[in-house]
Amino acid sequence: TLLECGLHSSPTPLAKLIGQSPAMLQTRSTLRKYAVVDLPVLITGQTGTGKELAAHALHHLSLRAQKPMVAVNCGAIPASLIQSELFGHERGAFTGANARRQGLFEHADGGTVFLDEVGDLPADAQTALLRVLQEGTLERIGSHTPIRINVRVLAATHIDLEQAISNGRFRNDLYYRLNVLRLHMPPLSQRGNDI
């Protein structure tokens, strides 16, 4: 085997979610169940609890594992650029758009898109994301031609999206499209000796 030859493969994403506490055993069990169901998953939990690792494990164990997984931190991209990054743009769509550009969703076609800090998406990007989830299509900025795509959307947040809906900062209909399956990453305080 590879291990006998001294060659070590890197651990799978699921193996990186370490711990034997009841909370982590339950989390890994739920993750395995959700991985094979081709529906959106909303991953919640405090910062540092392994939400991105869980997203990678969901993709790795899914039927889409041989296709691309694209991860994007929605809070790290300026609001003025997020739609172009996610959905692409046509040449001349705005100042500086010198060529057509595919967005991250097109790059992930057939695979998975992981939207970290989805609660930070501006309103116009929320509307475009809702269209992807409802219709399976997107429109590049500067185009009115729908492009059919096939992606599984995984989203993560550390903020309370229900509260963001109440405050008018997050779309209620988008929340229900993202929250089809919910995976809550347990806080460190519930992981006992795992720490």
Side-chain angles (χ1 to χ4, degrees), residues 20-169:
Q20 295 302 313
S21 64
M24 283 308 293
L25 293 174
Q26 179 61 48
T27 298
R28 284 199 299 274
S29 173
T30 302
L31 196 148
R32 283 187 194 94
K33 289 178 198 169
Y34 287 178
V36 295
V37 181
D38 200 32
L39 293 170
V41 180
L42 180 61
I43 307 168
T44 60
Q46 297 171 355
T47 300
T49 53
K51 295 186 294 294
E52 187 164 356
L53 278 177
H56 282 279
L58 284 166
H59 175 72
H60 181 77
L61 296 171
S62 77
L63 298 175
R64 297 176 181 265
Q66 300 307 311
K67 297 290 185 177
M69 177 178 177
V70 175
V72 59
N73 184 331
C74 299
I77 300 172
S80 60
L81 297 178
I82 189 79
Q83 276 200 258
S84 176
E85 285 293 313
L86 294 179
F87 309 114
H89 62 256
E90 295 293 335
R91 181 175 184 216
F94 51 85
T95 303
N98 300 326
R100 171 187 281 173
R101 179 167 186 241
Q102 285 189 339
L104 297 176
F105 273 85
E106 284 184 81
H107 285 295
D109 195 23
T112 304
V113 172
F114 172 53
L115 300 172
D116 197 8
E117 301 307 343
V118 72
D120 292 337
L121 276 179
D124 53 352
Q126 289 181 37
T127 302
L129 176 58
L130 182 62
R131 179 182 182 140
V132 169
L133 291 167
Q134 285 179 329
E135 301 171 24
T137 63
L138 61 82
E139 287 181 7
R140 293 185 191 124
I141 297 173
S143 172
H144 298 293
T145 305
I147 298 168
R148 184 150 295 281
I149 55 162
N150 174 11
V151 296
R152 183 185 193 188
V153 175
L154 309 176
T157 183
H158 72 279
I159 67 166
D160 183 339
L161 288 182
E162 290 93 342
Q163 186 64 46
I165 291 167
S166 297
N167 296 341
R169 292 185 298 117

